[in-house]
Amino acid sequence: MLLHEQAFQLIGEGVVFLVFLIVIILIVGLLLGIILVRRNKLFLPSVIIFIVNVFYSPLKSFANLLGLDDSLVDSIGIEVRNKVNKAKFEKIPPEDKIIVLPHCLRSAQCEASLKETGVQCTYCGKCAIGVIKEKAEPMGYRVFIVPGSSFVKKIIQQNKFKSVVGVACHVDLNQTMMALADFAPQGVLLSTSGCFETKVDISKVLETIGYYDFKNEEDV
């Protein structure tokens, strides 16, 4: 066999091995993630986060190939980060935390205006935003309602904070939590997605920000 033929053979074998290795990594990542999402058991969180971060697009394609909803990949990333960051998040005072809500939660009858820092809620009571703000701000949280990722970047640049709570759809929430990994992020998924009059479980948001514990302490 000629030297160049041996080289091509080695390259071919290397490619096959690499593809096989990637498939194994994708399978491991999905299995660990499914165990977490469906059985609420966390195994090897650092491994899961690494796989979701590095193989995000291949994981989604692989999930589709298996007949799974590719939003499962985002759900895995969100759940792992929530669990990994929870202890650190709870140690940070509300004054050092921000809440970022999507403007798609707004009612169709919303009359709030858009300012440089996002939508300025008027507490009209027609959507979840006002309810969350009314309960979160007395705790010390700063709440922002943003119409897009550019506003999120501006908020991050112009405000000092140590942690963040985000509400969004699967893709946006997972990618935002990935980008803000250094801020012990906590995320709550929208219960109905889309770009207009979406919904969120208010009690889930309040539980995430520690409102019920705060209220109990106030009542004592």
Side-chain angles (χ1 to χ4, degrees), residues 11-210:
I11 292 172
E13 291 173 352
V15 170
V16 170
F17 175 77
L18 183 60
V19 170
F20 177 76
L21 181 61
I22 291 174
V23 170
I24 294 298
I25 291 173
L26 298 181
I27 291 172
V28 169
L30 278 180
L31 286 177
L32 291 175
I34 289 171
I35 290 172
L36 166 65
V37 172
R38 297 184 178 176
R39 300 187 181 181
N40 199 31
K41 293 182 179 180
L42 183 59
F43 296 108
L44 303 174
S46 297
V47 173
I48 299 176
I49 289 175
F50 173 80
I51 293 174
V52 171
N53 286 359
V54 176
F55 298 97
Y56 180 72
S57 294
L59 261 178
K60 289 211 156 195
S61 298
F62 190 62
N64 284 327
L65 187 64
L66 296 178
L68 301 172
D69 188 338
D70 63 14
S71 65
L72 173 64
V73 176
D74 296 299
S75 294
I76 291 170
I78 294 163
E79 287 298 319
V80 173
R81 289 184 174 85
N82 278 343
K83 291 185 179 298
V84 168
N85 294 322
K86 185 176 181 181
K88 182 178 179 181
F89 173 85
E90 291 178 344
K91 291 179 181 178
I92 299 172
E95 293 80 9
D96 293 324
K97 299 174 183 174
I98 64 173
I99 300 174
V100 180
L101 303 174
H103 81 116
C104 60
L105 282 171
R106 298 165 68 188
S107 163
Q109 288 77 44
C110 178
E111 297 180 356
S113 59
L114 178 63
K115 303 292 184 181
E116 186 179 357
T117 56
V119 178
Q120 302 301 300
C121 177
T122 60
Y123 303 96
C124 67
K126 296 176 182 177
C127 72
I129 292 174
V131 177
I132 295 170
K133 278 178 64 66
E134 283 184 326
K135 297 185 183 303
E137 288 179 336
M139 295 174 65
Y141 283 91
R142 286 167 290 161
V143 182
F144 299 92
I145 305 103
V146 298
S149 58
S150 61
F151 275 80
V152 176
K153 293 177 182 177
K154 184 179 295 185
I155 289 168
I156 293 170
Q157 293 169 352
Q158 297 180 353
N159 292 271
K160 291 183 178 180
F161 62 95
K162 295 180 181 178
S163 191
V164 57
V165 177
V167 175
C169 63
H170 285 84
V171 175
D172 289 345
L173 186 56
N174 182 40
Q175 292 185 352
T176 300
M177 292 178 75
M178 191 185 303
L180 299 177
D182 294 335
F183 295 90
Q186 293 289 285
V188 180
L189 278 167
L190 292 170
S191 50
T192 62
S193 58
C195 300
F196 182 69
E197 287 195 305
T198 55
K199 304 294 181 184
V200 68
D201 185 340
I202 295 175
S203 63
K204 179 65 175 176
V205 177
L206 298 181
E207 179 184 353
T208 299
I209 67 175

